[in-house]
Amino acid sequence: DTGVSQNPRHKITKRGQNVTFRCDPISEHNRLYWYRQTLGQGPEFLTYFQNEAQLEKSRLLSDRFSAERPKGSFSTLEIQRTEQGDSAMYLCASSLTSNTGELFFGEGSRLTVL
Amino acid sequence: GESVGLHLPTLSVQEGDNSIINCAYSNSASDYFIWYKQESGKGPQFIIDIRSNMDKRQGQRVTVLLNKTVKHLSLQIAATQPGDSAVYFCADPYSSASKIIFGSGTRLSIRP
């Protein structure tokens, strides 16, 4: 297994467009997390899944954001009607339920909204 | 608010010296702490963890110390190398419903 994979790595879009990011976690990991990180800040928690169930969403996750993990494997994060403030690195991580302290992160998807 | 806080936003050390990154936590019931490292352009990487029944835990060139009396933990890096340049985060999952909540971190830079 090659670790957590995210794509696209970079996305440039115009304000108002929709974007979707995909995350493929480590195969045996049943937990999957999404974080957002802006320059100079630590990653901000957005949401996480236990298998296909979305167990928690941060207040940061406005109704323009939606995340899914339909079969308990890969996950998508969609941002509708993008705004310039959505420009950030979107990080995905996965873990075993038995060891939720050790997250394995992907290299992120960088979004630039013009 | 955050349940853990790093003391310094930046730390500069001479290559070969030991680095000490300090972190304070507020919840006396917290029983598990974690350190992560994030190199430029990469996602955070787990370094080491410690449970509250321990005062010290050692890894490869890293040691974490936990002082429950003053609710303080530190990450010590021995013989700091250029590859240790990164932002370091401490986290207290107990206080955040088992999620990892990252603060702003401490940026460690190495002087040659």
Side-chain angles (χ1 to χ4, degrees):
Chain A
D1 191 282
T2 57
V4 177
S5 175
Q6 292 187 246
N7 64 81
R9 294 291 311 281
H10 303 275
K11 178 71 176 179
I12 300 173
T13 192
K14 292 183 179 179
R15 190 175 49 190
Q17 299 295 303
N18 299 344
V19 296
T20 299
F21 299 115
R22 175 177 169 129
C23 173
D24 288 89
I26 293 172
S27 56
E28 64 268 28
H29 285 182
N30 39 22
R31 284 216 173 171
L32 186 147
Y33 304 79
W34 285 99
Y35 287 81
R36 178 174 68 190
Q37 186 172 28
T38 54
L39 195 64
Q41 301 299 312
E44 296 173 303
F45 170 79
L46 294 178
T47 188
Y48 84 94
F49 293 83
Q50 173 81 21
N51 299 315
E52 66 276 7
Q54 188 173 19
L55 295 188
E56 186 170 345
K57 292 193 291 185
S58 165
R59 289 172 295 151
L60 294 173
L61 212 65
S62 78
D63 55 8
R64 296 186 297 104
F65 288 69
S66 62
E68 294 182 343
R69 194 182 183 198
K71 298 181 181 178
S73 56
F74 74 91
S75 175
T76 57
L77 177 68
E78 181 182 18
I79 309 173
Q80 297 182 324
R81 304 182 303 282
T82 52
E83 301 172 357
Q84 287 186 323
D86 297 331
S87 296
M89 177 72 82
Y90 290 86
L91 293 162
C92 175
S94 68
S95 76
L96 294 168
T97 307
S98 58
N99 188 6
T100 56
E102 186 169 359
L103 305 187
F104 292 79
F105 280 84
E107 296 202 333
S109 293
R110 180 169 294 285
L111 173 65
T112 301
V113 182
L114 301 176
Chain B
E2 292 178 14
S3 61
V4 291
L6 284 149
H7 289 182
L8 294 174
T10 60
L11 178 66
S12 177
V13 300
Q14 193 80 31
E15 183 178 349
D17 287 353
N18 296 338
S19 301
I20 300 175
I21 302 172
N22 295 303
C23 183
Y25 63 96
S26 57
N27 190 344
S28 55
S30 296
D31 60 358
Y32 179 57
F33 303 91
I34 310 170
W35 285 93
Y36 276 78
K37 169 187 180 182
Q38 186 175 24
E39 296 178 67
S40 181
K42 297 185 178 180
Q45 180 183 16
F46 173 91
I47 305 173
I48 193 167
D49 58 7
I50 188 167
R51 296 202 176 271
S52 59
N53 59 353
M54 303 171 71
D55 297 323
K56 178 179 180 178
R57 188 164 189 214
Q58 287 186 291
Q60 188 177 14
R61 277 199 313 115
V62 295
T63 301
V64 57
L65 299 178
L66 176 62
N67 185 330
K68 295 178 284 294
T69 302
V70 295
K71 291 186 282 190
H72 177 274
L73 65 158
S74 65
L75 179 72
Q76 300 182 1
I77 305 172
T80 311
Q81 303 169 357
D84 297 324
S85 291
V87 180
Y88 290 82
F89 301 96
C90 62
D92 162 22
Y94 177 90
S95 294
S96 52
S98 301
K99 303 182 301 294
I100 306 298
I101 302 296
F102 296 91
S104 53
T106 291
R107 179 173 296 280
L108 177 64
S109 58
I110 315 302
R111 301 190 304 273

